[in-house]
Amino acid sequence: AQSVAQPEDQVNVAEGNPLTVKCTYSVSGNPYLFWYVQYPNRGLQFLLKYITGDNLVKGSYGFEAEFNKSQTSFHLKKPSALVSDSALYFCAVRGVKLTFGKGTKLSVIP
Amino acid sequence: EAQVTQNPRYLITVTGKKLTVTCSQNMNHEYMSWYRQDPGLGLRQIYYSMNVEVTDKGDVPEGYKVSRKEKRNFPLILESPSPNQTSLYFCASSLLQKPDNEQFFGPGTRLTVL
């Protein structure tokens, strides 16, 4: 069965520092991987996706994600965090269906 | 503006009183889906629809019904709500469910069943 794990419920980072939100997955066949962001009182918004090709994927708001097939990971990264990046982040994998992780709350401290 | 709308945004009801949460999209998407979001559990799919008159169960369909009579609308029906259905509900849509299509989400409906 396919699954997504986000090992950290919460990540705290100082403004201006690099951030990483971790995601590992399990799926049969080639993975299609996604990151979504949820701001308070809002629906989920698409950030970026990996389908094939370059292992480093660039997305919205300066975010990028690195696909690592051997480690079955798809970590979300940003070189310099902003306070406005504080939100709930979901990793998702598309195999037979779309499965979401449990989410990681990112807090960027001024 | 391309969007998914849900109504109501907030709803407090009592056990057993039938309710419907509406979902509508203006992007001509074939695929629509309902999720519930609970703390520590992430998003779980309730039902989905590949097109008009085509619906199927997701991971947690018990206690819910859906219908897809028009392409743009996908209402979620709780015939006899119970307190364990208290949750945050999201509707989503996308073009035909190809693996690389991202989903567009509505703003959410916070439901409390007393």
Side-chain angles (χ1 to χ4, degrees):
Chain A
Q2 63 187 66
S3 64
V4 176
Q6 294 182 240
E8 300 155 319
D9 292 335
Q10 178 148 356
V11 170
N12 297 322
V13 63
E15 186 175 24
N17 282 3
L19 70 86
T20 298
V21 182
K22 296 179 180 178
C23 171
T24 58
Y25 66 91
S26 173
V27 68
S28 299
N30 293 324
Y32 299 94
L33 296 157
F34 303 82
W35 276 102
Y36 287 83
V37 59
Q38 183 181 25
Y39 297 103
N41 300 313
R42 302 284 296 275
L44 278 72
Q45 296 177 32
F46 168 77
L47 267 183
L48 51 79
K49 64 183 175 183
Y50 172 82
I51 306 301
T52 186
D54 194 348
N55 289 343
L56 187 63
V57 179
K58 294 188 183 299
S60 307
Y61 313 121
F63 283 92
E64 56 190 27
E66 186 171 11
F67 171 68
N68 187 315
K69 188 173 183 178
S70 63
Q71 297 185 3
T72 61
S73 66
F74 188 56
H75 300 332
L76 182 69
K77 300 181 179 183
K78 188 173 183 181
S80 178
L82 300 172
V83 172
S84 57
D85 293 330
S86 298
L88 188 57
Y89 290 81
F90 289 95
C91 182
V93 63
R94 178 74 167 90
V96 175
K97 58 181 181 178
L98 185 64
T99 299
F100 287 87
K102 296 181 179 180
T104 298
K105 183 180 180 181
L106 173 67
S107 295
V108 181
I109 303 162
Chain B
E1 179 188 357
Q3 60 182 349
V4 179
T5 57
Q6 295 178 228
N7 282 292
R9 294 289 311 278
Y10 302 90
L11 179 60
I12 301 175
T13 189
V14 295
T15 298
K17 185 176 182 181
K18 181 180 179 179
L19 67 91
T20 299
V21 183
T22 64
C23 172
S24 183
Q25 51 93 6
N26 63 359
M27 295 169 280
N28 203 34
H29 286 167
E30 296 89 356
Y31 181 89
M32 297 185 74
S33 179
W34 276 103
Y35 297 88
R36 60 179 288 173
Q37 182 181 9
D38 301 290
L41 297 176
L43 270 76
R44 294 179 293 167
Q45 190 178 51
I46 303 171
Y47 269 95
Y48 65 95
S49 170
M50 300 289 281
N51 214 324
V52 175
E53 302 291 1
V54 181
T55 63
D56 209 345
K57 297 177 180 179
D59 296 318
V60 288
E62 294 78 20
Y64 304 95
K65 288 176 57 178
V66 293
S67 68
R68 187 91 181 272
K69 297 178 181 177
E70 302 168 284
K71 195 172 186 178
R72 63 184 294 127
N73 296 324
F74 190 45
L76 179 69
I77 302 159
L78 284 71
E79 294 270 2
S80 183
S82 62
N84 64 12
Q85 293 178 298
T86 292
S87 187
L88 180 58
Y89 291 87
F90 289 102
C91 180
S93 74
S94 68
L95 291 170
L96 267 175
Q97 185 65 337
K98 295 191 308 177
D100 60 335
N101 281 342
E102 63 266 28
Q103 294 193 17
F104 293 80
F105 284 80
T109 295
R110 186 167 293 281
L111 172 65
T112 301
V113 183
L114 302 175

